[in-house]
């Protein structure tokens, strides 16, 4: 605690996003909020070393940032006088002299942070823009880190953020929790953004690039934040549980040669038991509320896998039933493929093939490798080896990942040579 | 007869800070008002702050950006005064046009010098 540089650094990690959130709501302008926060942290770095660390660093930063923001508004309006807007920006919530009052401890963030989340995830912004804004301003990653994680030039990402901040300000997107009749639709967007970040982390870990930012960890952090702010929302709890349960398998997904290991072949002793316990507990509390939804169902499926000590011990009938519920909430051919796999395990290959039949006939997923792999596996287990070899070949052609292609080729070779 | 005059220009053509251009707009606005033909005028925020709204099979679809499809033509505009973008998007989605056409929602600028002529 004694080293001021360290205190500033920790304050940056702990308070930056909350300071930005509070300023953004008061100013209606994320860029102005960011600029004022940057000035406040620069002042802290300068003054704390000389004068000592204030007793309430977060409050000090908030008060200082707010003063900087008001100074900036005054400077702008000295040039292009717009007294109405000045009064609007500075006056309403604070009254005269409020700019000089200190920010009490423990009053930063909270609802402001939730408002910032909803603004960053507003559906009037493109999905990739929502993702970038959320990582930058809610999770507090730098533009360099975000650009690296998404393999984008930093300038492209910075430009995207500048434009997004301008749209939020000029189009009138509010830093506020939406009204009750709109909150579910808006929450869907927030959860979509968080889950997309998680999945990006999940798949990018399969690539060759060395990435220093773990998007899975960031997504889980965001999921925890949202769950803490909205503890009664069962789907938000479901999303957090789903991510924790998936992430529990992270270290078992790779072997020593960094090759992908499929669920059936994973060393289950390497699954993270603490994450499984936490995810399962959060899911149990949510499910008891009896307000089901797709995230809770997907989390329940992940929990069934996590509870099986061996692949053979997996409760396939239960998983098949859960995929049935998921298909009712969110009908999609991809869910049908997963359901076919589970039913094939529970009731035998012919039952699984029967579910796959209409998906194959529709041709909708013709270029979706998991469809052909599921088809091939069911055919092989049904003893239809010739057809299975052809399906493995289709799966091989549809996959873009070299590692997976090799795995599929060896399955095809095995079934062909056995014939 | 009523006419809507829709001002189009390529991005970057207008520099808001250009004093000559500002003066020209003020002069033009005075002329229109003095002619007694003025009904209403607004200067829209940049196209990249626009959001396009459609409703298809009862589902609300939002697109980040202006409406670009050239097959359809601009039919008219409503000026509304609501607290924020959410309210504006809601009204756009309720338009009879939303189910088959597209409504572009654009914030309106205020406090521009030409608007001072109108006392707004």
């Amino acid at each position: 605690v004694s080293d001021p540089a360290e205190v500033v650094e920790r304050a940056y990690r702990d308070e930056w996003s909350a300071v930005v959130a509070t300023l953004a709501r008061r100013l209606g302008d994320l860029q102005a909020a960011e600029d004022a926060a940057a000035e406040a942290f620069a002042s802290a770095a300068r003054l704390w070393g000389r004068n000592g660390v204030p007793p309430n660093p977060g409050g000090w930063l908030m008060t200082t940032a707010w003063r900087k923001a008001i100074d900036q508004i005054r400077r702008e309006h000295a040039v292009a006088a717009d007294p109405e807007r000045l009064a609007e920006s500075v006056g309403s919530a604070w009254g005269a002299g409020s700019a000089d009052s200190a920010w009490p401890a423990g009053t930063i963030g909270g609802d402001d942070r939730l408002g910032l989340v909803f603004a960053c995830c507003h559906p009037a912004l493109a999905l990739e823009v929502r993702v970038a804004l959320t990582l930058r301003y809610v999770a507090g990653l730098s533009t360099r880190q975000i650009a690296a994680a998404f393999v984008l030039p930093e300038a492209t990402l910075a430009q995207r953020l500048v434009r997004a901040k301008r749209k939020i300000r000029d189009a009138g997107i509010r830093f506020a929790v939406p009204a009750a009749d709109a909150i579910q639709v808006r929450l869907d967007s927030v959860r979509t953004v968080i889950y997309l970040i998680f999945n990006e982390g999940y798949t990018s870990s399969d690539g060759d690039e060395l990435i220093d930012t773990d998007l899975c960890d960031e997504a889980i952090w965001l999921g925890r934040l949202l769950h803490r702010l909205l503890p009664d929302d069962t789907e938000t709890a479901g999303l957090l549980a789903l991510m924790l349960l998936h992430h529990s398998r992270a270290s078992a997904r790779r072997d020593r040669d960094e090759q992908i290991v499929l669920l059936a072949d994973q060393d289950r002793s390497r699954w993270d038991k603490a994450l499984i316990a936490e995810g399962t507990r959060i899911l149990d509390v949510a499910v008891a509320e009896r307000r089901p939804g797709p995230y809770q169902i997907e989390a329940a499926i992940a929990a069934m896998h996590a509870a099986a000590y061996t692949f053979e011990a997996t409760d396939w009938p239960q998983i098949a039933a859960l995929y049935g519920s998921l298909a009712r909430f969110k009908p999609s051919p991809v869910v049908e493929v997963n359901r076919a796999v589970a039913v094939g395990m529970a009731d035998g290959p012919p039952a699984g093939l029967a579910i796959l039949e209409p998906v194959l006939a529709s041709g909708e997923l013709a270029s979706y490798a998991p469809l052909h792999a599921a088809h091939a596996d069911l055919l092989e287990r049904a003893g239809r080896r010739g057809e299975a070899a052809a399906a493995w070949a289709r799966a091989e052609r549809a996959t873009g990942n070299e590692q997976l292609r090799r795995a599929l080729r060896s399955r095809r070779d095995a079934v062909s040579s056995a014939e | 007869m009523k006419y809507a005059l829709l001002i189009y220009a390529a991005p970057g053509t207008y520099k808001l800070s250009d004093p000559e251009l500002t003066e020209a707009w003020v002069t033009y606005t005075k002329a229109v008002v003095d002619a007694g033909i003025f009904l209403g005028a607004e200067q829209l925020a940049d196209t990249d702050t626009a959001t396009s709204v459609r409703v298809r099979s009862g589902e609300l679809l939002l697109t980040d950006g202006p409406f670009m499809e050239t097959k359809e033509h601009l039919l008219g505009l409503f000026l509304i005064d609501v607290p924020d973008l959410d309210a504006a998007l809601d009204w756009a989605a309720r338009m009879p046009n939303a189910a088959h056409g597209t409504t572009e929602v654009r914030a309106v600028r205020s406090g521009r010098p030409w608007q001072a002529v109108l006392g707004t």
Side-chain angles (χ1 to χ4, degrees):
Chain A
V1 183
S2 51
D3 181 6
E6 230 171 77
V7 178
V8 174
E9 206 184 304
R10 199 175 54 236
Y12 194 86
R13 249 194 345 263
D14 297 346
E15 314 277 9
W16 180 81
S17 170
V19 169
V20 169
T22 299
L23 289 174
R25 187 174 68 75
R26 302 239 185 263
L27 300 167
D29 185 340
L30 196 47
Q31 184 67 60
E34 187 182 2
D35 292 345
E39 282 195 59
F41 278 92
S43 294
R46 215 167 40 243
L47 296 174
W48 292 2
R50 205 163 63 216
N51 307 342
V53 176
N56 168 16
W60 188 96
L61 285 163
M62 192 64 245
T63 307
T64 306
W66 179 241
R67 281 191 196 130
K68 301 280 186 195
I70 286 168
D71 287 350
Q72 184 56 36
I73 292 169
R74 286 193 179 127
R75 270 200 299 279
E76 275 167 22
H77 291 286
V79 184
D82 187 347
E84 204 172 305
R85 177 144 181 250
L86 181 64
E88 230 172 68
S89 317
V90 183
S92 56
W94 290 87
S98 65
D100 296 325
S101 63
W103 223 279
T107 57
I108 307 165
D111 283 350
D112 289 344
R113 210 153 197 197
L114 196 52
L116 179 64
V117 171
F118 279 110
C120 289
C121 295
H122 198 288
L125 299 162
L127 191 54
E128 74 268 17
V129 172
R130 286 179 240 168
V131 166
L133 280 170
T134 303
L135 286 172
R136 176 74 190 95
Y137 296 103
V138 184
L141 296 189
S142 69
T143 45
R144 189 194 59 74
Q145 286 174 305
I146 302 166
F150 287 91
V151 203
L152 283 172
E154 190 175 343
T156 305
L157 187 91
Q159 210 175 4
R160 203 177 271 180
L161 287 171
V162 166
R163 184 202 158 262
K165 283 181 280 191
R166 209 156 56 86
K167 172 157 182 178
I168 289 174
R169 186 193 64 197
D170 292 351
I173 291 175
R174 297 281 169 244
F175 296 91
V177 178
D181 59 341
I183 197 162
Q184 279 310 324
V185 173
R186 297 285 303 279
L187 257 178
D188 273 343
S189 172
V190 175
R191 286 188 294 253
T192 300
V193 167
I194 294 174
Y195 197 42
L196 190 146
I197 293 169
F198 183 82
N199 280 320
E200 184 64 30
Y202 210 75
T203 50
S204 69
S205 69
D206 293 343
D208 298 325
E209 297 89 4
L210 256 172
I211 289 165
D212 65 349
T213 305
D214 188 338
L215 289 177
C216 290
D217 287 340
E218 295 301 332
I220 288 171
W221 185 89
L222 288 165
R224 286 188 200 281
L225 176 71
L226 194 64
H227 178 54
R228 194 168 68 236
L229 295 171
L230 297 168
D232 298 331
D233 188 75
T234 54
E235 276 294 89
T236 297
L239 167 64
L240 176 57
L242 174 62
M243 293 191 296
L244 292 169
L245 289 163
H246 270 311
H247 206 48
S248 72
R249 302 201 285 265
S251 62
R253 290 179 70 228
R254 296 308 193 126
D255 65 14
R256 277 192 196 79
D257 305 320
E258 287 299 301
Q259 301 293 302
I260 297 168
V261 183
L262 298 176
L263 184 61
D265 306 319
Q266 286 176 10
D267 173 1
R268 298 188 174 215
S269 70
R270 288 174 68 194
W271 288 359
D272 187 324
K273 285 169 196 63
L275 286 182
I276 291 173
E278 189 190 0
T280 307
R281 183 173 44 74
I282 291 167
L283 179 63
D284 285 346
V285 172
V287 167
E289 295 291 318
R290 303 203 168 278
R291 289 196 304 275
Y295 286 109
Q296 290 170 81
I297 296 170
E298 284 197 64
I301 292 167
M304 297 304 300
H305 285 298
Y309 292 107
T310 62
F311 184 71
E312 291 67 32
T314 308
D315 186 348
W316 290 108
Q318 184 67 31
I319 290 175
L322 285 166
Y323 273 118
S325 316
L326 187 59
R328 278 192 293 280
F329 270 99
K330 211 174 61 172
S332 94
V334 171
V335 172
E336 282 303 282
V337 173
N338 288 317
R339 191 164 75 86
V341 171
V343 169
M345 296 300 287
D347 303 332
L353 285 167
I355 292 169
L356 224 43
E357 213 49 64
V359 183
L360 288 162
S362 78
E364 234 183 304
L365 295 181
S367 58
Y368 182 65
L371 165 66
H372 301 297
H375 190 204
D377 189 60
L378 286 165
L379 287 168
E380 189 178 326
R381 285 174 37 229
R384 293 155 65 176
R385 291 175 190 283
E387 291 164 88
W392 285 122
R394 281 195 295 278
E396 209 182 304
R397 278 196 298 276
T399 193
N401 184 303
E402 186 46 44
Q403 273 194 32
L404 280 175
R405 207 164 17 232
R406 269 201 302 276
L408 292 165
R409 193 172 307 137
S410 67
R411 289 294 298 263
R412 177 167 60 108
D413 291 346
V415 71
S416 302
S417 63
E419 204 173 11
Chain B
M1 297 277 285
K2 290 177 185 172
Y3 291 94
L5 304 183
L6 303 168
I7 304 154
Y8 284 100
T13 310
Y14 283 90
K15 287 224 163 32
L16 290 177
S17 53
D18 182 343
E20 249 182 69
L21 200 56
T22 301
E23 182 55 35
W25 274 109
V26 169
T27 306
Y28 175 82
T29 308
K30 275 186 183 139
V32 175
V33 171
D34 289 346
I37 59 171
F38 179 81
L39 292 171
E42 296 294 356
Q43 185 175 350
L44 300 178
D46 292 350
T47 51
D48 67 4
T49 67
T51 306
S52 297
V53 179
R54 286 172 296 155
V55 176
R56 295 292 182 269
S57 315
E59 195 188 348
L60 177 65
L61 304 168
L62 303 184
T63 308
D64 186 8
F67 178 64
M68 293 282 200
E69 197 79 52
T70 47
K71 303 189 286 222
E72 296 183 38
H73 299 268
L74 185 63
L75 297 180
L77 63 91
F78 268 75
L79 289 178
I80 59 171
D81 184 2
V82 292
D84 57 26
L85 182 64
D86 286 350
L89 295 176
D90 189 38
W91 279 103
R94 288 163 66 174
M95 274 191 174
N97 180 49
H100 46 272
T102 297
T103 302
E104 182 179 321
V105 177
R106 225 74 90 85
V108 165
R109 288 189 196 276
S110 62
R112 302 299 309 160
W114 66 266
Q115 290 167 321
V117 172
L118 312 171
T120 55

